[in-house]
Amino acid sequence: MHRSHPPMTDPRLADLQQSLPDLRLKTDAADLEHYGRDWTRRWTPAPLAIALPATVDEVQAVVRWANRHGVAVVPSGGRTGLSGGAVAANGELVLSLERMNKVLDFDAVDRTLTVQAGMALEAVQNAAREHGLVYPVDFGARGSCSIGGNIATNAGGIRVIRYGNTREWIAGLTVVTGAGEVLELNRALVKNSSGYDLRQLLIGSEGTLGIVVEAILRLADPPPPTNVMLLALPSFEVLMQVFAEFRGRLRLEAFEFFTDLALRHVLAHGAQKPLEDEYPYYVVTEFASDDEATEAAAMAAFEHCMEQGWVADGVISQSDAQAQQIWRLREGITEAVARYKPYKNDISVRISAMPAFLAQTQALLGEAYPHFEVVWFGHIGDGNLHINVLKPDGTSDAEFVTQCEQVTKLLAQALLAHGGSISAEHGIGLVKKPYLSSTRSAAEIELMRGIRRVFDPNGILNPGKLFDA
Ligand code: FAD
Ligand code: 2HG
Ligand code: ZN
C-alpha cells in the first residue's frame, strides 16, 4: 500500500505523526489548496495540513492532539458546502473523513443502515436500494457530498416536501466532541425520552460541537412509480396557486421552481430545450403516478391551471430518460452558473408567507441589483428560495461581494419582518455569519455559544464558523 509520510517540519505535526504513526497526513501545496476550500471559492486556502483518519480512535487522538497544541480543526466532508463551513484559511488542520466511507451494518428489522461519515450521499442511496429500501434525502451534489456533511448542515434538497430534511432520517450518531470524548447518541431507538436529545443538537451544528464519525440512518419504503412534469408559468404571482392546486390533487414528491434566466444558463451548459416557446417562470414537479386515477388527477390539475391562466404550457415525462432530462433543467443550475462566481442567498419563510415575501423581495432586488443578473430558483414547495447574483465580467471579486452584502442586509431585514431564515439548508458557515441575528435572537445566540463551550471548551472545532466565540 502506498503511503506518503511528508517531512514534518512543523513540530506540532511531527508530534502528531509520532503519536499516531499510522495516521495519513498530507502537506503538499496542491493538497492544502484542494482540501482547504469548499464550493464558495471566496477564501484563499491556507491549512496547516490534512489529516485523513481511518478509525474513530484516530479521530479521537487527532482531536486530543489539537487540544494539547491549540490547533484549530476543520471537519471536512465532500466540500460541496456553499457557505464556507469547510474552508480552512488560517492554519487549521483539515480533518477529512474521506477514508471513513464504508457501510458498517444493515438491520432489516430496524430498517437502518449504519455508515461511516465520509460515505457519499449517492453511495448511501445505492446501499439502501440494494436492500429494497431508500434513503430519501436527495440533491444535485449527491455524488460528492458526504453523509457527515449532510448531517452537519441538516441538508435539505429536492424531496423535503415529502420526506423532510436530513434530521428526520438520523436514528443515531457517533461523534467525537471538541473535548475528545466519543458519544453514541440515541443508538437507533425509536422512542427515547431520557433527557436532552444531543443527537438533534449535533445535526446542523456545522462541525462546531463534534465530528460525526458514524451515523445510523433510517430507511424508507421505495416510493410508488412517479411522473415528472415541467410547467411554464406566465408570472411569479401564480406560483403558489399552482402549488396549491397540484398539492391538493396529487402526492407530491417534489415541487421546484426556476426562472427563464436559470433555464438559459442550463441550456448554454448543454441541457436540451424543453418547450418550443419561452416563458418567464418554470416549475418541475414530481408526483406519484401509479394508476389511471393519479394520471387523471395530474391532467385535471394541469388543465385547471391552464384554464385559470396560471400555466401557459407544460410537458410530462414519458420515460425515465425524459424525466431525467427535465430534472437536469433544475438540478444543473448550480453548476451552470458556477463560472460567474455567484453570490448565493439561501432563504426561507413559512410557506404561507411566501406570496407576500416574494412580492417584497422581487421589488427589493429589482431596485438593488439593476445591473446584475439575478438567478432565482429553489424549493418553493418548502418556502426555500435560492437567489444567485452573478458577478459581471470586469467587477473585482471584492467589489462584487461588498455590493451584494449591502443587499443581503436589506434581505435580512425583510426576513426578520417575515419571521424567515437567512439559511434554509446550506448553513451559516462564514458566508452568512454576519446575518445570523436576523434569524436567531441574541438570547438564542448566547445559548448556542454556551453549548459550544460545553462541547468544545478550548474552541478548537471550526472556530470562526457560524458565530464568533
Ligand atoms: P462540506 O462542504 O465538506 O462541509 C459542510 C459543513 O459540515 C462544514 O461546516 C464542515 O466543517 C462540516 N462537516 C463536514 N463533515 C463533517 C463531519 N463528519 N462531522 C462534523 N462536521 C462536518 N444543500 C442542500 O441542503 N440542498 C441542496 O439541494 C443542495 N444542492 C447542492 C447542489 C450542488 C451542485 C452543490 C455544489 C451543493 C449543494 N448543496 C445543497 C450544498 C451541499 O452539498 C450540502 O450542504 C452538503 O450537505 C455538504 O456536504 P459535504 O460533505 O460536501 O460538506
Ligand atoms: C439547489 O437547490 C442547491 O440546487 C444549490 O441547494 C443552490 O446553488 C445554489 O444556490
Ligand atoms: Zn437547494
Side-chain angles (χ1 to χ4, degrees):
M1 188 177 68
H2 167 78
R3 223 176 28 232
S4 79
H5 281 274
M8 295 300 156
T9 46
D10 186 297
R12 296 167 300 177
L13 290 180
D15 177 47
L16 179 60
Q17 193 72 91
Q18 204 177 11
S19 50
L20 282 172
D22 288 335
L23 176 68
R24 195 172 294 180
L25 277 174
K26 294 186 181 203
T27 52
D28 289 353
D31 288 324
L32 299 183
E33 168 115 15
H34 176 70
Y35 287 90
R37 57 159 49 131
D38 66 3
W39 256 65
T40 50
R41 302 283 189 276
R42 198 193 294 177
W43 289 271
T44 307
L48 172 68
I50 321 302
L52 298 112
T55 63
V56 176
D57 286 349
E58 280 191 348
V59 174
Q60 186 181 33
V62 169
V63 171
R64 288 188 170 154
W65 163 87
N67 273 285
R68 280 201 307 278
H69 289 275
V71 174
V73 172
V74 176
S76 186
R79 290 174 306 286
T80 63
L82 300 172
S83 63
V87 167
N90 292 304
E92 303 93 333
L93 182 86
V94 173
L95 191 146
S96 165
L97 278 297
E98 76 179 28
R99 294 180 66 215
M100 296 177 65
N101 61 359
K102 290 171 196 63
V103 174
L104 299 175
D105 188 35
F106 167 71
D107 191 305
V109 177
D110 290 331
R111 296 182 17 134
T112 54
L113 191 71
T114 304
V115 301
Q116 292 180 309
M119 206 165 158
L121 171 59
E122 190 167 40
V124 168
Q125 293 169 338
N126 290 340
R129 232 172 268 129
E130 279 172 23
H131 296 288
L133 296 168
V134 295
Y135 179 70
V137 176
D138 194 21
F139 51 91
R142 61 182 75 79
S144 34
C145 69
S146 70
I147 198 77
N150 298 173
I151 293 166
T153 54
N154 187 26
I158 55 177
R159 296 184 192 277
V160 169
I161 194 172
R162 168 64 44 202
Y163 300 101
N165 298 293
T166 297
R167 188 181 294 290
E168 311 294 328
W169 299 95
I170 307 303
L173 284 182
T174 303
V175 301
V176 177
T177 68
E181 285 148 337
V182 178
L183 306 179
E184 282 185 24
L185 305 174
N186 198 59
R187 303 181 306 275
L189 295 173
V190 175
K191 302 187 78 173
N192 183 2
S193 184
S194 62
Y196 304 153
D197 192 341
L198 302 179
R199 156 193 57 156
Q200 295 298 350
L201 197 52
L202 260 291
I203 299 169
S205 64
E206 300 188 42
T208 64
L209 301 180
I211 298 167
V212 176
V213 285
E214 291 172 11
I216 309 176
L217 309 174
R218 284 176 51 217
L219 303 180
D221 283 320
T226 57
N227 255 330
V228 179
M229 222 186 232
L230 176 76
L231 304 169
L233 274 56
S235 77
F236 223 176
E237 288 69 37
V238 298
L239 195 50
M240 299 315 281
Q241 275 137 302
V242 175
F243 175 52
E245 175 64 20
F246 273 76
R247 187 155 72 158
R249 291 188 193 252
L250 296 162
R251 186 195 125 128
L252 294 186
E253 296 280 317
F255 193 90
E256 302 274 315
F257 113 101
F258 53 92
T259 59
D260 56 341
L261 184 56
L263 179 63
R264 268 186 268 146
H265 281 290
V266 179
L267 295 181
H269 211 243
Q272 243 173 298
K273 192 164 186 257
L275 299 168
E276 192 85 354
D277 294 323
E278 287 170 11
Y279 300 91
Y281 303 99
Y282 298 90
V283 160
V284 171
T285 180
E286 183 166 337
F287 47 86
S289 180
D290 46 354
D291 57 18
E292 278 178 18
T294 44
E295 276 170 31
M299 286 326 292
F302 179 73
E303 276 159 20
H304 180 73
C305 290
M306 290 284 282
E307 279 159 21
Q308 296 295 317
W310 301 336
V311 164
D313 198 357
V315 59
I316 187 162
S317 61
Q318 303 295 336
S319 63
D320 284 354
Q322 206 182 356
Q324 273 175 25
Q325 265 174 24
I326 295 176
W327 265 118
R328 183 174 174 195
L329 303 174
R330 164 63 184 87
E331 290 203 309
I333 299 170
T334 299
E335 294 227 30
V337 300
R339 74 177 197 85
Y340 299 96
K341 294 192 170 177
Y343 181 91
K344 289 178 184 288
N345 294 290
D346 162 39
I347 57 181
S348 68
V349 291
R350 285 194 324 274
I351 301 167
S352 60
M354 201 33 124
F357 180 73
L358 275 179
Q360 185 182 350
T361 311
Q362 258 198 319
L364 175 82
L365 298 193
E367 238 174 73
Y369 286 132
H371 308 303
F372 292 163
E373 280 200 344
V374 183
V375 177
W376 296 63
F377 59 110
H379 319 282
I380 199 78
D382 314 323
N384 178 188
L385 282 177
H386 296 309
I387 304 173
N388 280 212
V389 187
L390 308 191
K391 189 175 87 62
D393 290 341
T395 306
S396 76
D397 290 5
E399 191 188 328
F400 176 64
V401 169
T402 306
Q403 287 189 39
C404 290
E405 289 196 327
Q406 294 306 324
V407 184
T408 300
K409 277 187 203 144
L410 303 178
L411 205 51
Q413 283 166 13
L415 284 165
L416 191 59
H418 287 272
S421 174
I422 194 72
S423 176
E425 56 172 11
H426 298 160
I428 294 292
L430 292 170
V431 174
K432 292 291 159 359
K433 186 168 74 165
Y435 315 101
L436 183 62
S437 60
S438 66
T439 302
R440 310 298 292 263
S441 70
E444 278 183 291
I445 295 172
E446 218 26 61
L447 280 172
M448 290 202 277
R449 282 205 177 94
I451 290 167
R452 185 167 179 165
R453 282 194 288 272
V454 172
F455 275 82
D456 182 16
N458 295 324
I460 59 135
L461 285 187
N462 235 356
K465 313 288 171 57
L466 190 48
F467 45 71
D468 289 318

